[in-house]
Amino acid sequence: MFDPFNIFFKSSRYWLVKNITKLLTSGTRRVEFTDFWMGDQFCSLVFTLSNLYLFACSYTVGFENWHKCGSTANTWPAAFILAMLPFLIRLIQSIKRYVDSKLTTHLINGGKYFCGIIYYLCYYIWRHQGSLRNTSFAFWCLFGALYSVYASAWDFWMDWSLLRPHVNYPFLRAELIYTDHIPFYYFAIISNVLVRFIWVIYIPSVSAPNMYLRLFIAGFLEMLRRWQWNFVRLENEHLGNMDQYRVTREVPLPYSFDDNHHHVGDTDDD
């Protein structure tokens, strides 16, 4: 990532490093599209980020004792901090956008990420207590359902602008770019909801795959969901830019304009 030589796509690597740095300084500057778009990508990498601690801890205690570093150990707060970091960044970005624009939609969006932080807090507390059917389990299920419904609704109505009435294709929108792949939209709607509720895979306690295998399956499916989400999200952003006349292309003029030679008495014909 930090290789200074102009090989292995140096400009792309440095672009990524620069934008990750901007994420870590969210709230100190104006939030642009790249900032919150990258933040959304990292929200789908919770499995990867939370396991960075597990990976480092396994080196410390030895890989034969890596289970000591799991969420049931006393070290779970470190994994939780890494897991909720993308949500915290997006929450700060939403608050900053509200301060700059005074649009309450940004606060509503921020509420989604705050709900996600509470969801992961309840999850790690539940796992730390041995995955018992107790109060922490009830709160985890409650906030899991709330966050999944919240996020799915925001995906459809705001990020994708779907579920519009009186359109050519039911539950879609008036303008579409991928007109040759209409079934894709319906597949995206259904699969997006299913993966948003993938946390239910953790509930079974008997006759179920190992919890770490279930974590991997959930993380992998969330990665695919975000990959799919990006196509419709960028399509919606492009259409919104067109509607608000933000898509422009500067055409170079065949001459230069010099203010010093433009006199007040010059006419339009001149």
Side-chain angles (χ1 to χ4, degrees):
M1 290 297 296
F2 298 96
D3 174 22
F5 299 103
N6 194 23
I7 57 175
F8 301 125
F9 306 99
K10 177 183 176 181
S11 61
S12 298
R13 290 186 285 106
Y14 275 48
W15 180 90
L16 182 59
V17 172
K18 179 185 71 174
N19 282 279
I20 292 176
T21 303
K22 289 166 63 178
L23 285 180
L24 297 176
T25 58
S26 295
T28 61
R29 50 184 298 280
R30 182 174 178 269
V31 181
E32 299 178 348
F33 175 77
T34 307
D35 301 321
F36 61 79
W37 185 78
M38 286 289 291
D40 284 332
Q41 310 308 308
F42 275 86
C43 284
S44 289
L45 294 177
V46 168
F47 172 78
T48 302
L49 294 175
S50 63
N51 277 279
L52 289 178
Y53 173 78
L54 177 65
F55 191 66
C57 179
S58 298
Y59 265 105
T60 303
V61 303
F63 279 99
E64 66 277 3
N65 299 315
W66 69 273
H67 280 281
K68 295 180 180 179
C69 303
S71 57
T72 56
N74 293 325
T75 56
W76 69 267
F80 164 69
I81 291 173
L82 289 171
M84 69 90 181
L85 183 60
F87 292 86
L88 180 62
I89 289 173
R90 288 294 288 120
L91 175 59
I92 294 173
Q93 287 180 344
S94 299
I95 295 174
K96 176 62 176 176
R97 296 186 74 188
Y98 170 74
V99 171
D100 292 341
S101 66
K102 298 300 184 291
L103 293 176
T104 55
T105 52
H106 297 309
L107 287 182
I108 298 173
N109 192 27
K112 177 183 68 176
Y113 297 107
F114 179 75
C115 183
I117 292 174
I118 301 300
Y119 158 74
Y120 276 104
L121 176 61
C122 294
Y123 166 75
Y124 277 99
I125 292 176
W126 173 63
R127 288 293 309 281
H128 176 64
Q129 295 178 351
S131 303
L132 302 175
R133 298 298 189 265
N134 53 14
T135 304
S136 62
F137 172 75
F139 274 101
W140 169 62
C141 290
L142 173 64
F143 281 98
L146 180 61
Y147 173 69
S148 297
V149 173
Y150 202 155
S152 296
W154 190 271
D155 287 339
F156 297 148
W157 285 315
M158 302 301 295
D159 287 342
W160 289 358
S161 294
L162 299 181
L163 306 181
R164 304 300 179 185
H166 314 298
V167 292
N168 293 332
Y169 301 99
F171 306 114
L172 302 186
R173 71 170 92 88
E175 294 183 272
L176 300 171
I177 291 180
Y178 311 121
T179 53
D180 294 334
H181 306 280
I182 297 301
F184 159 72
Y185 292 96
Y186 295 103
F187 175 82
I189 290 174
I190 296 173
S191 60
N192 191 79
V193 174
L194 292 177
V195 180
R196 282 291 190 187
F197 280 89
I198 194 62
W199 55 269
V200 300
I201 197 176
Y202 306 146
I203 294 178
S205 57
V206 294
S207 302
N210 180 275
M211 180 60 78
Y212 290 99
L213 176 58
R214 284 184 274 174
L215 284 166
F216 172 76
I217 293 173
F220 188 78
L221 291 177
E222 170 60 23
M223 179 191 67
L224 294 179
R225 186 198 68 81
R226 182 66 67 179
W227 174 73
Q228 167 189 269
W229 179 93
N230 284 333
F231 287 95
V232 190
R233 176 66 181 89
L234 291 175
E235 175 198 40
N236 185 44
E237 184 72 15
H238 174 68
L239 293 174
N241 287 337
M242 291 177 60
D243 291 340
Q244 299 180 41
Y245 301 101
R246 290 198 299 246
V247 178
T248 60
R249 174 172 295 179
E250 303 225 22
V251 179
L253 297 174
Y255 56 86
S256 61
F257 187 80
D258 189 354
D259 286 333
N260 295 328
H261 294 89
H262 186 70
H263 301 291
V264 176
D266 289 349
T267 64
D268 290 340
D269 291 339
D270 293 337

